[in-house]
Structures are given as C-alpha cells and as structure tokens.
Amino acid sequence: MFDRPDSGERAVLVHLTLHSGQEDLLELKELAKSAGTDPVHVVTGSRRSPDPKYFVGTGKLDELKNVIESQSVDIVLFNHPLSPSQERNLENALGVRVVDRNGLILDIFAQRAQTFEGKLQVELAQLRHLSTRLVRGWTHLERQKGGIGLRGPGETQLETDRRLLGLRIKQIQQRLEKVDKQRHQGRSKRKKAEIPSVSLVGYTNAGKSTLFNKLTGANIYAADQLFATLDPTLRNCQLPNSSEIVLADTVGFIRHLPHELVASFKSTLQEASEADLLLHVIDANAEDRDETIIQVNQVLEDIEANEVRQLEIFNKIDLLTGISPRIDRDDAGNPVRVWISAETGAGVELLYQALAEIFSSTRIKRKCYLRPDQGDVRAKLFSVAKILEEQVDDFGGYELVIEIDAKHLGLLKSVEIEEIL
C-alpha cells in the first residue's frame, strides 16, 4: 500500500461527461481549492456509461498514469461518486489516493466544523460513508483457501471493524439526539415568545454569511470559497418597525449534496424547515443562477422545507452593470424578491423594509379585557402571544396589551376588546 499524505496534495481532477444536469467542472475546481489541494491538471472525456471496474476507460486510465508520473501528483479527485470497488481498483492501478466527489465534500466539512455539534455531525457523515467502504477492505488479512496455517483472521477483523463502526455511529446519534432536544427547546421558547425565525439558505458561496454579518453586526467567518462556514449561527435582528426576529445562517447547499450529509445534518437543517421565512440568497452574477435556484429548492424539498415562505435575495449586484437595488413585488403588492449587495451594503435597507412588511402584516396588537373566569383564555394567550402589558383590576379581571399573530385571532372571539392599537 502507499502512504496517504494529510495535506498540501498536488491533485489531478477527473471529469467525464455522462449526461445532462451533472456536476460542473468549475465547481470541482472550487471544491478542490477549498479542500486545500493544488489542482495541477484536469482530465476530461465523455462516455455513455461508467466503466464498472475503473469508472474511466483503459485509455483514460493510461492518461491518468502518465499525468501522475509527469506532474508528481499525490491525489486524484473524481467529480463523480465512485463505488467502493471502483475506488479501490483505481488506487491499486494508479498508486495514489483516489477520492470521489462525496468524499471530497465530506473532507471539506471536516475541516470547517468548529462546534461540538458540527464535529459530531461531520464524523457521523464520514462514518456512514466509510461503512460502505469496508467490504473487502482487509484483503491482505482475509481467509485464504486451503492449507493448514494459511487461514488468516481477515473475516474476524472485518466483522470487528463493522461492530466498532456501528457502536461509534450509535454513540454519536445518541449525543446528537441530546443536542437536537436542546435546539427544540430553544425553538419552542422563541415560538412561545412569538419571535419570528428567519433562515438564510442558498447555494454555497452565494454570500449568506456576508449578508448575515451585515444584518446582525456579527463577525462570523466569511470567505470566497465553498462551505466557508459550516456550523449554524443564530442572532437577534432588530427591524425598522422595532419588531425582532431571530436570524439563522445555515450550511450552503450544492448539487447532489451527499445523502450522508443530509441525514447527519438533519437537526441543523431543521432550523430551515421550522423557520417562519426563508431568505433564499442567490448569486445574481452567477452564469448558472437559474440552475442553482432549482438545486436549492430540491434540497429544501428533501428536508421538507419547501412549503416555508421564501423571499429571494439577489445578491452581488455590485458585480452587474445597470442593476440598482430594488424590491420586486407580486400582484398583491407583497415583497417576493430584493436586489442587494451584501458586500457594499447597497439595498440592505430595502431588505429591512421588506422583512418589516412581511412580519408586520401577520402581527397585530390588541388591548383586551379578560373576566376573572377566563383564566383558560389567558393561559392560551400566554402560550401563543407576546404579552406586552398586564394589569389585574379590583374585580380580578385582566387588562392585557398583546401582540398576536393573525392566525391566532380566534382566541379573542370571547374576549372584550377595548381598543385596537
């Protein structure tokens, strides 16, 4: 076997055209750079279908061998998912490490994770990915045919690895369940206080973290690279109408996000699925803008967040000519799209305005009076509304000033409303 270097690898990229709608070569280059490798050569080609043994044909395999030798390549990165046997056959034939697209993304996530939860989620995704690579992974120790003294412990070793891997996966899942309960408690408290939650979603490198910093005054890491930030961050944000929202920055999406990541990051992505509004950040300058919008909506459907209301944010208009900040509205006059530049701050005030319009249209203030025998109504109001003021009169009644969502106005049918604020 060959040594596997930890970092600073010289990489050759492999991209085959197999069908339409597949991964982009430019995106593979960005992924490779984000992982810390130095792409020194690109091998391209086209096939009707992948070769079952090497994924590429024998001609491309010889070309790869020549490139590896002439360019002193340390690692080969495929822009496609490889089967365990294809990955192993390629490594044996080429003599260097071979990583497919899913493994590359998992490696980037492992570098980016900073929090306890993020590290657990990445490890879980990596272990799930590794569990598919254990088959015949101990060929040098496997049980051999015939002969006394030639029966190796390979099967025992393989089963031991599987058992230890399963135990570790179970431990991580139990820890993540505890973290998920804490997240659920936090979401429940925000809902009880009637503080709307807004999640930033979008294709990776669309400018979500830069916009998050601009809106909240936070200082989370933002860089021009794929998956610059991984761990979710929540901050309070004050709107011009003095109302408050909780803004969540989530992990960026990408074409065909590995299912191991979607499963492992389910609790994190739940911030998006349970949000009151999604800010879909879009790189307005990207050539494949429309395609990335489709890809993000597909991931949102996978995590059951496709029914959550969206406000599209067309970002990076400073890179376009003839485009100025504006709000696009539907036929009813509701904001559906805002054109901004998070980098320069152009149009951010329009985004604030759109958010204030969206949430002020659903939040209503009422001053009401509850009789002493309406304690059950008071309890329900405390669970779904924001109580701004409360006084008890001499007869045991309650005078309340509340802020309530329009969908809960039915609770006030039996309540005496003294004044509409």
Side-chain angles (χ1 to χ4, degrees):
M1 289 295 289
F2 51 86
D3 294 331
R4 298 190 174 191
D6 296 326
S7 61
E9 297 105 327
R10 291 169 58 84
V12 58
L13 311 183
V14 180
H15 175 83
L16 298 185
T17 302
L18 298 170
H19 54 79
S20 59
Q22 66 177 35
E23 289 72 14
D24 182 59
L25 177 57
L26 179 60
E27 190 172 87
L28 174 63
K29 294 178 180 179
E30 293 297 328
L31 285 169
K33 292 177 182 177
S34 297
T37 65
D38 178 20
V40 296
H41 192 84
V42 178
V43 173
T44 59
S46 61
R47 287 182 64 91
R48 290 185 178 180
S49 60
D51 180 79
K53 186 174 183 180
Y54 294 113
F55 193 88
V56 296
T58 54
K60 288 296 175 184
L61 190 65
D62 291 337
E63 182 181 345
L64 277 171
K65 290 178 180 178
N66 293 332
V67 171
I68 291 171
E69 183 177 353
S70 62
Q71 300 283 346
S72 299
V73 169
D74 303 306
I75 186 170
V76 178
L77 303 177
F78 274 74
N79 199 21
H80 315 272
L82 299 175
S83 69
S85 61
Q86 287 171 337
E87 188 175 301
R88 184 176 60 257
N89 292 337
L90 284 166
E91 288 185 340
N92 290 335
L94 300 176
V96 296
R97 187 182 180 193
V98 175
V99 177
D100 67 356
R101 177 184 170 85
N102 289 358
L104 180 59
I105 295 174
L106 287 171
D107 183 77
I108 297 172
F109 271 57
Q111 295 180 46
R112 300 285 188 265
Q114 298 295 327
T115 65
F116 174 72
E117 179 187 9
K119 291 177 180 178
L120 283 178
Q121 289 170 326
V122 170
E123 184 180 353
L124 179 59
Q126 288 179 317
L127 290 176
R128 283 174 167 163
H129 183 70
L130 179 62
S131 65
T132 65
R133 262 78 181 147
L134 282 181
V135 180
R136 292 183 59 83
W138 290 86
T139 306
H140 60 296
L141 293 176
E142 70 179 353
R143 189 181 302 275
Q144 301 178 33
K145 294 182 179 179
I148 296 175
L150 296 179
R151 297 183 179 89
E155 290 181 354
T156 303
Q157 179 67 61
L158 184 59
E159 290 302 318
T160 301
D161 278 5
R162 284 176 175 163
R163 179 174 55 81
L164 294 176
L165 198 64
L167 287 174
R168 181 58 181 163
I169 289 176
K170 186 176 181 180
Q171 289 175 350
I172 295 176
Q173 287 175 330
Q174 290 173 344
R175 291 184 182 180
L176 284 175
E177 285 176 3
K178 293 181 180 179
V179 177
D180 189 36
K181 288 181 180 178
Q182 294 173 348
R183 282 189 173 277
H184 180 71
Q185 290 173 353
R187 284 192 291 264
S188 298
K189 288 181 180 178
R190 293 197 298 272
K191 286 187 176 183
K192 186 175 181 180
E194 288 292 317
I195 301 177
S197 61
V198 179
S199 285
L200 290 167
V201 298
Y203 210 75
T204 184
N205 208 26
K208 296 185 303 302
S209 297
T210 302
L211 178 59
F212 182 87
N213 289 338
K214 185 70 68 174
L215 292 175
T216 64
N219 190 30
I220 63 173
Y221 180 68
D224 184 19
Q225 56 185 205
L226 303 188
F227 305 119
T229 52
L230 172 61
D231 300 299
T233 308
L234 282 77
R235 293 287 189 278
N236 288 344
C237 180
Q238 201 77 20
L239 299 181
N241 60 357
S242 298
S243 61
E244 187 179 38
I245 63 173
V246 172
L247 199 63
D249 186 21
T250 59
V251 64
F253 299 156
I254 198 170
R255 288 180 182 85
H256 305 147
L257 195 65
H259 69 275
E260 296 97 343
L261 285 175
V262 175
S264 301
F265 282 76
K266 186 175 181 181
S267 61
T268 300
L269 295 173
Q270 202 168 4
E271 293 290 348
S273 62
E274 296 193 8
D276 297 295
L277 177 71
L278 298 179
L279 294 186
H280 183 171
V281 183
I282 300 161
D283 184 352
N285 188 50
E287 294 182 0
D288 57 347
R289 185 177 71 190
D290 294 338
E291 187 177 344
T292 60
I293 293 174
I294 294 174
Q295 294 293 333
V296 170
N297 287 328
Q298 180 60 54
V299 176
L300 290 175
E301 185 175 346
D302 292 341
I303 63 175
E304 300 179 353
N306 53 312
E307 297 297 329
V308 181
R309 181 177 179 178
Q310 278 192 31
L311 177 64
E312 292 184 341
I313 311 299
F314 275 62
N315 188 28
K316 304 186 182 182
I317 63 171
D318 54 304
L319 303 178
L320 300 172
T321 56
I323 301 294
S324 57
R326 71 174 190 268
I327 299 178
D328 294 341
R329 302 177 182 273
D330 59 17
D331 295 336
N334 300 312
V336 293
R337 189 177 300 109
V338 185
W339 296 74
I340 69 164
S341 169
E343 183 67 28
T344 65
V348 171
E349 72 283 353
L350 295 178
L351 175 54
Y352 276 122
Q353 176 186 327
L355 289 171
E357 287 184 32
I358 289 173
F359 289 111
S360 64
S361 63
T362 62
R363 304 286 295 172
I364 301 172
K365 286 186 179 180
R366 289 289 187 270
K367 184 176 181 180
C368 54
Y369 177 79
L370 301 180
R371 301 187 307 272
D373 62 343
Q374 289 183 307
D376 57 333
V377 178
R378 176 177 174 272
K380 290 179 181 178
L381 288 177
F382 265 84
S383 65
V384 300
K386 186 175 182 179
I387 310 301
L388 303 177
E389 296 179 22
E390 181 184 28
Q391 292 182 350
V392 181
D393 62 17
D394 296 336
F395 303 99
Y398 305 95
E399 293 181 357
L400 300 173
V401 177
I402 65 173
E403 187 176 271
I404 190 170
D405 195 282
K407 64 184 179 182
H408 296 305
L409 281 178
L411 290 175
L412 302 180
K413 287 183 178 180
S414 61
V415 174
E416 179 183 341
I417 301 177
E418 296 184 359
E419 181 181 351
I420 298 178
L421 301 179

